[in-house]
Amino acid sequence: MLSGRAPDGRKLTTSVRNKTVPDGGCAGEAERTVHFGAVDEVQRGYDLVARLRREMSERSRSDPRVTAVNKKWSTCMRTAGFSYRDPDAAVDDPRWDLRSAAPSRAEIAVAAAGISCKLRTNLLGVNFAVEAEYENAAIGDHSRELDAVRAHRDAEAERLPRLMRRYDRAP
């Protein structure tokens, strides 16, 4: 009853154990209760936030200030004996076995050099400042919509303790 679907995926339209299955199952009913019926509006807000995060991250990665600091980091890494275009390339190195419980000596060496080079070039500071600049601009451009997202979130936070008390009954 959680999703309103049977194990084979078909929609439950009647009842289960003499209880009517709400649209979308118990999860759908919970979502409508928590969001006070504004499920679509809340979802649009969540989608906007996710889209803005993704877009601002992409924009900052291609910003000339970020590409310049990545080049400085790459040069620093080369002097340490490693060849990577940016920190993501070091993380994505196909030599690393990410399922292994312990990193290899090579992974540790690259990680130590990477951290040292990040500190020398202020890579994290530059990345943070540039991304924050883009995010602040996006917040300004979408202030009305983001204010609505915040209002929904605040209203939910206020309702949740009452709902928890209301539904805190043992079956």
Side-chain angles (χ1 to χ4, degrees):
M1 280 201 347
L2 179 65
S3 68
R5 300 217 172 263
D8 64 5
R10 66 187 160 78
K11 185 177 179 181
L12 297 173
T13 56
T14 55
S15 65
V16 173
R17 295 185 191 133
N18 296 322
K19 290 190 177 197
T20 302
V21 177
D23 187 34
C26 297
E29 183 69 16
E31 195 170 63
R32 285 187 296 281
T33 301
V34 169
H35 297 312
F36 242 42
V39 174
D40 291 340
E41 186 177 343
V42 169
Q43 188 59 54
R44 280 192 301 276
Y46 291 161
D47 291 346
L48 171 66
V49 169
R51 181 177 59 83
L52 291 175
R53 280 183 177 161
R54 186 178 57 255
E55 287 176 4
M56 296 312 103
S57 177
E58 289 170 6
R59 285 184 187 171
S60 70
R61 284 186 189 154
S62 62
D63 185 281
R65 295 166 290 183
V66 171
T67 57
V69 79
N70 280 339
K71 284 180 186 175
K72 289 179 185 176
W73 178 89
S74 181
T75 299
C76 178
M77 288 294 283
R78 214 172 1 269
T79 63
F82 304 105
S83 180
Y84 296 104
R85 75 179 179 284
D86 59 35
D88 289 339
V91 170
D92 294 338
D93 189 323
R95 295 179 298 156
W96 311 146
D97 180 4
L98 301 179
R99 294 170 300 194
S100 173
S104 67
R105 287 185 180 167
E107 285 174 286
I108 292 169
V110 168
I115 290 170
S116 177
C117 289
K118 285 177 182 179
L119 292 171
R120 284 188 195 144
T121 61
N122 191 27
L123 184 130
L124 298 177
V126 171
N127 278 308
F128 178 82
V130 171
E131 191 160 341
E133 184 180 300
Y134 283 107
E135 288 172 351
N136 287 330
I139 290 167
D141 292 345
H142 298 276
S143 61
R144 190 175 47 72
E145 300 103 308
L146 293 171
D147 284 345
V149 171
R150 182 184 302 117
H152 280 291
R153 184 208 56 211
D154 292 348
E156 286 174 19
E158 194 174 304
R159 277 193 303 276
L160 282 174
R162 285 192 313 275
L163 290 171
M164 294 293 287
R165 286 189 300 275
R166 178 177 165 193
Y167 291 102
D168 187 24
R169 289 180 257 155

